[in-house]
Amino acid sequence: MPPRRRLVLILGLPLVAVLGTAALVQARRHPEQALGGAGAGALALQLLAGFGACAAGADLDLRRSMRLSGGLLAASGVALLLGAVPLHDAGSAVLFTAALAGGAFAPAFAGAAAVCHPVAGRRLGTVVAGMAAAAVVVLGVVPTALFDPVASGCLACPRNLLLVHGYGALQLPPVSVAPWAQALLCGGLCVLAVGRWARRPALARRAGAPVAVGGALVAALGAAAFVHAAVVSGPRVDETARSLWLAQCALLALVATGVAVQALRARLLRGQIADIVVATLSSPERLREALARRLGDPGLAICFPGARNGPVDAEGRPSRVPSPGAATTEVVRGRQVVALLAHDAALTHAPDRLATAARGAGPALEHASLRARLRAELAELSASRTRIVEVADEERRRAERDLHDGAQQRLIALSVALAQVAHQDGSLARAADELRRALEDLRALAHGLHPASLTEAGIAAALGELGERSRVPVRLTALPSGRWPPLVEAALYRLVLDGVGCAERAGDGGVVVVAIEHVGAGLGATVTLPGVRAATASLGLEHVYDRIAALDGALTLHETVAGVHLEAHLPCGS
């Protein structure tokens, strides 16, 4: 909903409530001048009708095709509340002027809403809206501008804020010609609304009845009330005028109730349709059982075409080979095979039965096929990510072995040879020292690629070596016993290695606390990095996130006052 319309609704309904309260307070104080009287039931009915029509109009206004009828219905609610104001004792100039100008137009607005509901063409909508606006101006605003309460003998009336001074010769009482024009307008709208409603299809008549019929009846009662005022009562309020007014209020309240009931039914219908849709999308197993029961083949199996590796079952896993003696029938939807039915070969002699079952189950089989293919593709994606991690780890192990068995061994031999002659020359001693430091850097590089201890002794030994080499203190509070899948051990080692690296670069030098324990069907790890900010840790652990996700694990990061707390979980079946 556009912000402007939302603002109008938020501010408009409370203003209408205030208007209704003010009007009925004055009616309560001066019942003899009020159209509805001062009875508690009459006051409640008028408030319910006025506010209910405004709320129902606002609800219709939210539907793009019903904005015109919704606006007119809301206008009828406002006009009805203004019509309830006792004019001679309105209490304030604003309320008096508004009631004088617009208090007689509730039936006309209701009839116009009935004509335009639920949908009116652009031309008809423009004509009806123009008629309503012209009636307000000609029969409401203009007579009000020419009505001087004092000149008319109403010394107790509040001031008319629209009075145009200097036109004493043109002053007209508000109830002279206007009632006949109002009666003609309301009668015409009633006839037009009933005629349009009667020509609609039965379903449209039922849907539009609350506003179309109710609004037309309000217009008809309004026409009768205006004729009665012009012929019999004039500006006085007698029992007939009061009865006609309360009948209009009751009908307008019924219109608002009908709109509310239809909105509730529409909401319930949406829920019911959603339930029906969910119920019709039966599970693949229930679908198989239903087909097997209809075809008389308890061994019936359903598989679906896979994207790459042949048929798959409903969960996206490779399908089992049909049993010996079974036949296969393709189910085709839109020139595409959506399912394969593995059934008893005897059913091939009843092709009509198979074809009927396939056609009936076609939509459900197509839905199940799409779901199975999606699951197969997701499984393939997960397997592909796992293979990438396996290849990367194998390459790291190979590089570490090559460094250890090749370059490192040759450098060690050279270092021993230099050590034997280093005492003979100072430059040789310096060269031996540089070679020793290069060996240490090479060992650190090889250990960072993939420590041999991780491959040979497991995660506990590798983390112990990491703690000894780290530039910040590392405390291992819990470590798992035994060996675990190599990919899981490698992922947890990389988590701790990169976490310690973050603490070395951006931490406060505090103790990095590491705990790895057996949790459920996998391993859970917690790492505390003191003094590290969450943004820094997220950037430094970016590749660790990807590695753990590729193994169907999860890594979460929490920032605390002391630093960052990491929690990871890896299933050991990865």
Side-chain angles (χ1 to χ4, degrees):
M1 182 170 50
R4 184 176 299 176
R5 304 183 74 84
R6 186 184 298 114
L7 180 63
V8 170
L9 291 178
I10 292 174
L11 297 179
L13 291 179
L15 288 177
V16 170
V18 171
L19 170 64
T21 304
L24 297 182
V25 165
Q26 294 302 318
R28 181 76 172 176
R29 293 175 178 172
H30 308 284
E32 68 284 351
Q33 297 293 332
L35 272 174
L43 294 176
L45 176 61
Q46 293 173 91
L47 183 61
L48 175 64
F51 189 77
C54 290
D59 179 70
L60 294 177
D61 184 72
L62 296 178
R63 311 172 201 177
R64 184 178 297 273
S65 61
M66 301 183 185
R67 284 181 179 173
L68 181 56
S69 60
L72 290 169
L73 185 59
S76 72
V78 175
L80 184 139
L81 293 175
L82 291 174
V85 176
L87 285 177
H88 297 291
D89 301 288
S92 73
V94 174
L95 196 58
F96 172 76
T97 305
L100 196 63
F105 292 95
F109 283 135
V115 172
C116 297
H117 188 79
V119 180
R122 177 174 297 180
R123 181 177 301 175
L124 177 62
T126 302
V127 170
V128 173
M131 287 175 57
V136 172
V137 173
V138 175
L139 301 178
V141 175
V142 172
T144 300
L146 300 177
F147 175 66
D148 186 351
V150 176
S152 301
C154 183
L155 301 179
C157 290
R159 187 165 60 94
N160 181 4
L161 299 178
L162 293 181
L163 176 62
V164 178
H165 297 279
Y167 292 88
L170 298 176
Q171 288 176 351
L172 298 172
V175 283
S176 54
V177 182
W180 290 107
Q182 287 271 34
L184 183 62
L185 175 64
C186 291
L189 289 172
C190 174
V191 172
L192 182 58
V194 171
R196 290 193 76 239
W197 177 76
R199 289 194 300 270
R200 295 191 182 109
L203 183 60
R205 286 201 301 271
R206 286 196 299 271
V211 177
V213 176
L217 290 177
V218 172
L221 287 175
F226 287 124
V227 171
H228 173 75
V231 174
V232 180
S233 65
R236 291 184 301 104
V237 179
D238 59 10
E239 288 302 319
T240 302
R242 184 160 291 163
S243 299
L244 289 171
W245 173 255
L246 292 177
Q248 293 176 57
C249 294
L251 280 173
L252 208 53
L254 288 176
V255 170
T257 303
V259 172
V261 169
Q262 283 193 335
L264 179 61
R265 289 181 60 188
R267 185 180 295 272
L268 293 175
L269 181 62
R270 285 197 296 269
Q272 291 169 357
I273 291 176
D275 292 340
I276 291 172
V277 170
V278 172
T280 56
L281 298 177
S282 59
S283 68
E285 181 56 28
R286 289 208 305 269
L287 181 61
R288 189 204 69 79
E289 292 175 355
L291 282 173
R293 188 167 55 251
R294 294 297 181 186
L295 293 173
D297 181 10
L300 177 76
I302 303 176
C303 57
F304 307 96
R308 293 178 55 187
N309 300 323
V312 296
D313 62 11
E315 300 302 321
R317 298 185 294 262
S319 178
R320 294 177 297 177
V321 178
S323 58
T328 302
T329 298
E330 295 181 344
V331 179
V332 180
R333 296 271 297 175
R335 298 183 180 181
Q336 183 177 4
V337 178
V338 297
L340 302 171
L341 303 181
H343 54 82
D344 193 322
L347 286 174
T348 56
H349 301 292
D352 292 342
R353 191 173 182 182
L354 270 174
T356 301
R359 280 196 300 270
L365 287 171
E366 185 175 15
H367 171 76
S369 176
L370 292 173
R371 186 167 56 183
R373 181 170 296 185
L374 176 61
R375 290 178 174 175
E377 291 175 353
L378 290 175
E380 176 60 27
L381 176 62
S382 178
S384 174
R385 294 172 69 184
T386 302
R387 288 194 296 269
I388 291 173
V389 173
E390 289 177 343
V391 170
D393 283 348
E394 180 58 34
E395 288 297 317
R396 286 175 178 272
R397 283 192 290 269
R398 185 183 61 79
E400 189 274 335
R401 286 196 302 269
D402 291 345
L403 288 174
H404 182 273
D405 297 338
Q408 186 175 343
Q409 295 300 323
R410 288 192 292 272
L411 289 175
I412 289 174
L414 179 58
S415 175
V416 171
L418 279 175
Q420 293 175 352
V421 296
H423 63 279
Q424 299 177 4
D425 190 340
S427 59
L428 292 177
R430 287 192 298 273
D433 187 58
E434 288 294 331
L435 184 59
R436 180 181 56 79
R437 283 196 290 269
L439 273 172
E440 291 175 356
D441 292 341
L442 185 61
R443 290 192 184 99
L445 175 62
H447 201 278
L449 288 174
H450 193 93
S453 57
L454 180 63
T455 303
E456 298 169 359
I459 184 71
L463 291 181
E465 290 186 3
L466 175 61
E468 294 174 359
R469 297 192 334 270
S470 172
R471 298 198 303 268
V472 296
V474 177
R475 185 167 70 244
L476 305 175
T477 60
L479 291 174
S481 59
R483 296 303 305 269
W484 301 88
L487 291 179
V488 173
E489 290 187 336
L492 291 177
Y493 177 79
R494 296 299 305 184
L495 168 66
V496 178
L497 176 65
D498 289 358
V500 170
C502 288
E504 290 176 345
R505 293 189 301 271
D508 59 7
V511 178
V512 176
V513 181
V514 179
I516 301 178
E517 298 177 306
H518 187 199
V519 179
L523 287 179
T526 59
V527 182
T528 302
L529 307 178
V532 179
R533 302 297 300 272
T536 303
S538 296
L539 186 62
L541 298 171
E542 182 178 3
H543 297 298
V544 178
Y545 274 107
D546 295 339
R547 176 184 285 268
I548 292 178
L551 300 177
D552 293 331
L555 174 61
T556 57
L557 182 151
H558 307 283
E559 186 169 14
T560 64
V561 177
V564 167
H565 184 72
L566 306 175
E567 293 183 1
H569 181 269
L570 278 165
C572 287
S574 298

